[in-house]
Amino acid sequence: MQVFGSSGTRGVANEELTPAFVLRVAKAAGTIWRDGRGGGRVAIARDTRHTGRMLADAAASGLASTGTDVDRLGVVPTPGAQAYAEREGVPAIVITASHNPPPYNGVKLVGSDGVELSVSALEEIEETLLAENFTVAPWDETGRVSECDGVRREYVDELLAAADREAIADADLTVALDPGHGAGSLTSQDFFRKLGCRVVTVNSQPDGHFPGRDPEPVPDNLTDLGRLVRATDADVGIAHDGDADRAIFFDEHGEYVEGDATFAALAAAELEAGDTTVSAVNVSQRLVDVVGEVGAELELTPIGSTNIITRIEELEADGQRVPIAGEGNGGIFFPDYRLSRDGAYTAARFLELVAQRPVSDIVAPYDGYVNVRRNVEYESTAERDAMLDAAANQAQAADADLNTRDGYRLDHGDAWVLARPSGTEPLVRIYAEARDRDRAEELAGDMYEALADAKADV
C-alpha cells in the first residue's frame, strides 16, 4: 500500500499530512462506507495533538461531502473510539499519530465492528483515494455533523465492567500515572480511581504540545514517572502513548519494566496448552519461552497492529483460541474483550497481577534479556533502499538464521538483530536482544554502522 502503513497513515502535520490530504482520505472512506457498510454515518475522534481539531474538521467536511452523517466524539483514546464504533455499529476515523513526536499527526480507520480495517479493506479505500473516484452528494443531501457528549464516560464504564474491580480494590494499590499529556489524560486517572486505587500523576494535563515529555513511552521519556513512583511509594507506574492504546510499566522501586517482559508475564497468565498467540517479527525470546513452557503456539506477522489483527481474525475463523496477542511496545490485544489495543484495559489486567504480588516479582522470570533499539533516519527512498541492501548483505555474511517476513531478522541462537523500515516515520529501525548487554549492543552497533555507511555512500 502506498498510503496506509502498518497502523494508518502519518506524517508531519500541515506539511506531509495536510487538511487537503485528510479531506481526500475521508472522501474515499465515505465513498466506500456509503454503500451500506457504514449505514451513512461515521464517527470522528482525535487525540490531544495541537493539529487534531484542524484535521478532524477536514475529515468531517470530506465525509459530509459524500452525504455521510458525522458523529464528532472530540478527544477520546483510540480504544474509546473503537468502543463507540462497536457500540453504535458505525465506522470511525481517528485523528492520531499515537507515539510519534508532537509535529506529527495521522489518520486511522476503524470498521463498524470497532476493529481497525483489514489490509484488504484499506486497499479498497486507497484505490478510491488514488483514483479520486469520490461520491459527491447534492447540496441538499450532504451529511449532518453532530457533537456527541459522554463518550469518554461510556468508555470508562465499559472498562470498569470488564475489570476485576474487587480484586484490585482489595489490594489497596497506589498507581503512579503518566498519560503523557495525551488522550489518556481524560480517562485513565478516573478509571484507576474507580478501580479503588490511589492515583498520583505526572504530565496529566491534556496538551497537544506535549510539554512534559514526547508521546512515546520509552525509558528516556519516562524519568519523571520513575521519580514519582519512588517519591510516593507507589506499587506500580503506568505510562501511555499519545492515544492511550499502549501501556508501559514501572516496578515498585521506580525501575522501568521492558514491554516484552510485561507481555510475557501477561501471556503466562492467559495462555493454556493448545492456545495460539500472535506477535510480530521482533518478538522477544521471553514470549517464545512462555509459549514453549505452556504448550501453546506462536504465530509471527510483519510489525504493526493491522497485520496482527488480520492474523488473529484468520486464526479465530479457523477455530483456534487466541486469548492474548500483541507486541513488546505495550500494545497488547485481549481478543475476548475487544480486538483492539487498549492501554487502560492492559493496565487493569496487569493490576490484577499486581494485586497478588509486587511488580518486580511478576517480571523477574523474564529479566534475563537485554533489548537495544537504534534508529537511522533517511531523507530519500534511495537512502532507505541503500540501507536495506546493506542489511541484506549483513544477513548473507552472518552465520545466523534469516527471517525476511518484515525486514531482515538474524537469529544467532544466543541473540538476534532485526533491521526494518518504519511504517510510520522515515526511519530504519534496528532491534537487538541478547542475555548480555555487550552482545546486544554489539549486534545493534554492527548493523547500525553498516546501514549508516550505506546511507553515506548515496
Side-chain angles (χ1 to χ4, degrees):
M1 291 185 291
Q2 300 178 43
V3 177
F4 298 107
S6 59
S7 188
T9 181
R10 298 177 194 167
V12 176
N14 228 27
E15 292 181 16
E16 300 157 321
L17 199 89
T18 63
F21 173 74
V22 174
L23 179 95
R24 291 172 58 234
V25 171
K27 289 171 71 173
T31 297
I32 296 299
W33 287 334
R34 277 288 294 169
D35 69 2
R37 279 166 282 181
R41 180 172 153 228
V42 175
I44 296 178
R46 58 187 175 91
D47 66 19
T48 57
R49 290 171 189 271
H50 177 69
T51 55
R53 183 181 292 275
M54 173 184 75
L55 297 177
D57 289 345
S61 295
L63 289 170
S65 75
T66 68
T68 302
D69 292 335
V70 179
D71 294 353
R72 295 292 295 263
L73 310 187
V75 177
V76 183
T78 293
Q82 291 176 275
Y84 181 89
E86 181 184 34
R87 188 168 60 249
E88 296 293 321
V90 298
I93 294 178
V94 185
I95 304 298
T96 178
S98 186
H99 64 278
N100 290 127
Y104 281 72
N105 217 320
V107 180
K108 182 173 291 189
L109 303 179
V110 175
S112 57
D113 56 358
V115 179
E116 291 180 45
L117 293 189
S118 66
V119 172
S120 60
L122 288 172
E123 287 175 342
E124 185 180 13
I125 290 174
E126 184 169 304
E127 289 172 4
T128 301
L129 168 66
L130 297 177
E132 298 198 345
N133 186 23
F134 308 131
T135 295
V136 179
W139 70 269
D140 56 348
E141 295 180 15
T142 53
R144 296 172 178 260
V145 179
S146 303
E147 303 288 337
C148 299
D149 297 325
V151 177
R152 292 192 296 267
R153 182 186 66 250
E154 292 170 342
Y155 166 57
V156 170
D157 287 345
E158 286 193 16
L159 288 170
L160 289 167
D164 190 343
R165 299 174 70 176
E166 184 176 353
I168 295 170
D170 286 349
D172 193 27
L173 300 174
T174 296
V175 171
L177 172 67
D178 181 355
H181 304 293
S185 303
L186 297 169
T187 53
S188 285
Q189 185 175 172
D190 182 38
F191 173 48
F192 297 138
R193 285 191 171 133
K194 287 181 177 177
L195 284 176
C197 301
R198 172 177 174 250
V199 182
V200 292
T201 64
V202 65
N203 301 320
S204 62
Q205 306 82 10
D207 189 326
H209 293 92
F210 302 96
R213 69 163 173 91
D214 269 8
E216 187 167 18
V218 292
D220 288 347
N221 293 337
L222 299 176
T223 54
D224 287 345
L225 180 57
R227 292 193 197 100
L228 182 63
V229 171
R230 293 187 289 272
T232 60
D233 198 25
D235 296 285
V236 61
I238 301 172
H240 292 315
D241 57 340
D243 66 336
D245 66 353
R246 290 162 53 179
I248 287 291
F249 300 92
F250 277 64
D251 70 13
E252 71 276 14
H253 306 299
E255 297 296 325
Y256 175 84
V257 177
E258 284 283 352
D260 288 306
T262 302
F263 186 16
L266 288 165
E270 292 290 324
L271 289 172
E272 299 176 358
D275 288 343
T276 302
T277 186
V278 182
S279 192
V281 70
N282 62 339
V283 64
S284 168
Q285 188 64 34
R286 299 171 177 90
L287 183 63
V288 176
D289 292 344
V290 168
V291 167
E293 287 167 6
V294 303
E297 297 292 332
L298 173 62
E299 292 271 345
L300 296 183
T301 73
I303 290 174
S305 59
T306 300
N307 299 309
I308 292 175
I309 289 168
T310 297
R311 189 59 184 144
I312 293 171
E313 290 177 325
E314 291 171 350
L315 290 166
E316 291 186 333
D318 195 39
Q320 298 188 51
R321 181 174 180 265
V322 186
I324 188 169
E327 298 175 273
N329 61 7
I332 298 176
F333 297 87
F334 294 87
D336 289 343
Y337 167 63
R338 178 175 289 114
L339 195 49
S340 67
R341 301 185 301 185
D342 191 323
Y345 183 73
T346 297
R349 297 301 296 266
F350 196 66
L351 288 176
E352 293 172 14
L353 302 182
V354 180
Q356 302 172 37
R357 53 198 172 119
V359 174
S360 58
D361 287 353
I362 293 169
V363 300
Y366 316 107
D367 279 346
Y369 294 92
V370 176
N371 294 88
V372 174
R373 298 177 179 89
R374 301 186 70 174
N375 296 325
V376 190
E377 297 182 355
Y378 61 82
E379 296 182 355
S380 67
T381 56
E383 289 182 346
R384 180 198 63 196
D385 293 345
M387 288 193 286
L388 294 179
D389 287 342
N393 292 335
Q394 285 284 101
Q396 289 179 352
D399 182 17
D401 292 332
L402 175 63
N403 184 316
T404 58
R405 186 178 294 272
D406 183 6
Y408 297 87
R409 174 173 169 141
L410 286 63
D411 282 293
H412 293 267
D414 66 325
W416 58 266
V417 62
L418 166 70
R420 65 174 291 273
S422 168
T424 59
E425 298 177 80
L427 305 169
V428 174
R429 299 191 186 276
I430 299 169
Y431 309 78
E433 182 180 76
R435 289 188 177 274
D436 177 79
R437 176 164 291 279
D438 289 343
R439 176 66 165 148
E441 293 280 6
E442 177 189 18
L443 289 173
D446 288 349
M447 183 66 78
Y448 182 90
E449 289 181 12
L451 268 58
D453 288 347
K455 172 185 168 183
D457 289 340
V458 174

